[in-house]
Amino acid sequence: MIRKILAIITALLLSSVLTGQKTDYGIWYEVKADKDIWKGLRFDLEASVRTDQNAARVETIYVEPGLRYKFNDYLAAGLYYRLTEQLEKDDQFHIRHRWFAQVKGTVPSFYRFTLAVRYRIQEQFKTYIEEPEDEVPVWYQRVRFELGYDIKGIPLMPYINTELHGLLSEPNEYTVDKWRSMIGIEYTLNKKHTFGIEYIYNESRVTKPAYMNLIGLTYSVSL
């Protein structure tokens, strides 16, 4: 199964190159941890290093704490803050602040498949000011659709998802400004440690590069 997922990821990378699109390539390294605080309430912490320019340059570093409340097996909501060091046009890292609230609904499993939908609303502030509009916070809404499959007898979870981003603060002519699609697999060890690899394809109408191919390497732990 892992070989099949890796083969699909490789094929997707090659197909984007062969189509002649002007794309970039990067690797996203991500670590997550969560811990129960109280019944239904969990503390989440995520940190990530993201690269671009064929994975040769670090462009983003962030840390993201937050709280998540699970109402039942099918509904959860959370509030998070992200502190980002972003490489800007002056080739220096500058801080960005982002907070967001989200709600996630999950449909009961059917034939070992799990379908979920996540809605997020976020606001971001820049500290690197190049144009007057950079001083104005930017609001986005994001909707992500997820489909996972629980392989019987082994702790593997292949999944696919797609996420749509829409600008709220200053609506433009685009209904959707950005798309993000993923295919990946996760392996869970001792019900606490989870390792994952995923292929991510980004398409954007408002940022550059417009197309980006990414490999995500993830690790998460439940404390």
Side-chain angles (χ1 to χ4, degrees):
M1 174 61 69
I2 294 178
R3 289 182 178 179
K4 289 182 179 179
I5 295 293
L6 291 174
I8 292 172
I9 290 173
T10 302
L12 289 169
L13 285 170
L14 289 174
S15 65
S16 65
V17 173
L18 294 175
T19 56
Q21 292 178 339
K22 187 177 180 181
T23 63
D24 194 6
Y25 163 72
I27 300 177
W28 289 1
Y29 305 91
E30 186 177 276
V31 177
K32 296 180 181 179
D34 64 78
K35 183 176 177 58
D36 280 321
I37 299 177
W38 187 66
K39 185 178 180 180
L41 183 65
R42 299 184 72 88
F43 173 74
D44 292 330
L45 181 64
E46 178 178 318
S48 180
V49 176
R50 296 179 172 182
T51 67
D52 63 358
Q53 295 189 358
N54 297 322
R57 183 183 74 167
V58 174
E59 67 153 349
T60 304
I61 304 170
Y62 72 77
V63 61
E64 182 184 285
L67 293 173
R68 169 169 43 110
Y69 185 76
K70 188 176 182 180
F71 298 94
N72 51 48
D73 289 338
Y74 310 111
L75 183 64
L79 184 64
Y80 298 84
Y81 165 75
R82 178 180 293 187
L83 176 65
T84 301
E85 285 277 3
Q86 180 69 39
L87 188 65
E88 302 285 5
K89 293 180 181 179
D90 63 351
D91 291 327
Q92 300 293 322
F93 283 94
H94 296 268
I95 290 176
R96 292 184 180 184
H97 301 280
R98 175 189 298 181
W99 74 269
F100 59 89
Q102 66 182 37
V103 60
K104 182 176 180 178
T106 304
V107 176
S109 297
F110 54 101
Y111 295 101
R112 309 189 73 85
F113 285 96
T114 300
L115 177 65
V117 179
R118 188 189 74 184
Y119 176 79
R120 174 184 292 182
I121 185 168
Q122 68 182 45
E123 184 182 25
Q124 180 166 276
F125 304 82
K126 291 183 177 181
T127 60
Y128 174 72
I129 307 300
E130 189 179 36
E131 303 290 343
E133 55 265 28
D134 292 335
E135 297 183 295
V136 181
V138 177
W139 286 86
Y140 264 95
Q141 64 177 346
R142 298 163 58 167
V143 182
R144 187 169 78 179
F145 302 91
E146 310 172 1
L147 181 64
Y149 181 72
D150 182 16
I151 300 176
K152 187 176 182 180
I154 53 176
L156 286 177
M157 173 73 81
Y159 60 88
I160 58 173
N161 67 56
T162 187
E163 186 172 34
L164 312 177
H165 298 215
L167 187 63
L168 286 176
S169 52
E170 295 180 7
N172 52 37
E173 66 268 28
Y174 305 120
T175 303
V176 177
D177 298 282
K178 301 179 184 178
W179 294 263
R180 177 175 297 166
S181 300
M182 299 184 189
I183 178 171
I185 191 167
E186 292 182 338
Y187 173 77
T188 300
L189 179 65
N190 298 331
K191 297 182 179 181
K192 284 192 172 184
H193 305 276
T194 301
F195 304 86
I197 183 171
E198 58 192 7
Y199 165 74
I200 308 162
Y201 181 71
N202 273 350
E203 183 174 350
S204 174
R205 291 177 172 176
V206 294
T207 59
K208 294 182 180 179
Y211 307 99
M212 193 159 186
N213 296 286
L214 302 152
I215 294 295
L217 302 176
T218 65
Y219 167 73
S220 60
V221 59
S222 293
L223 302 174

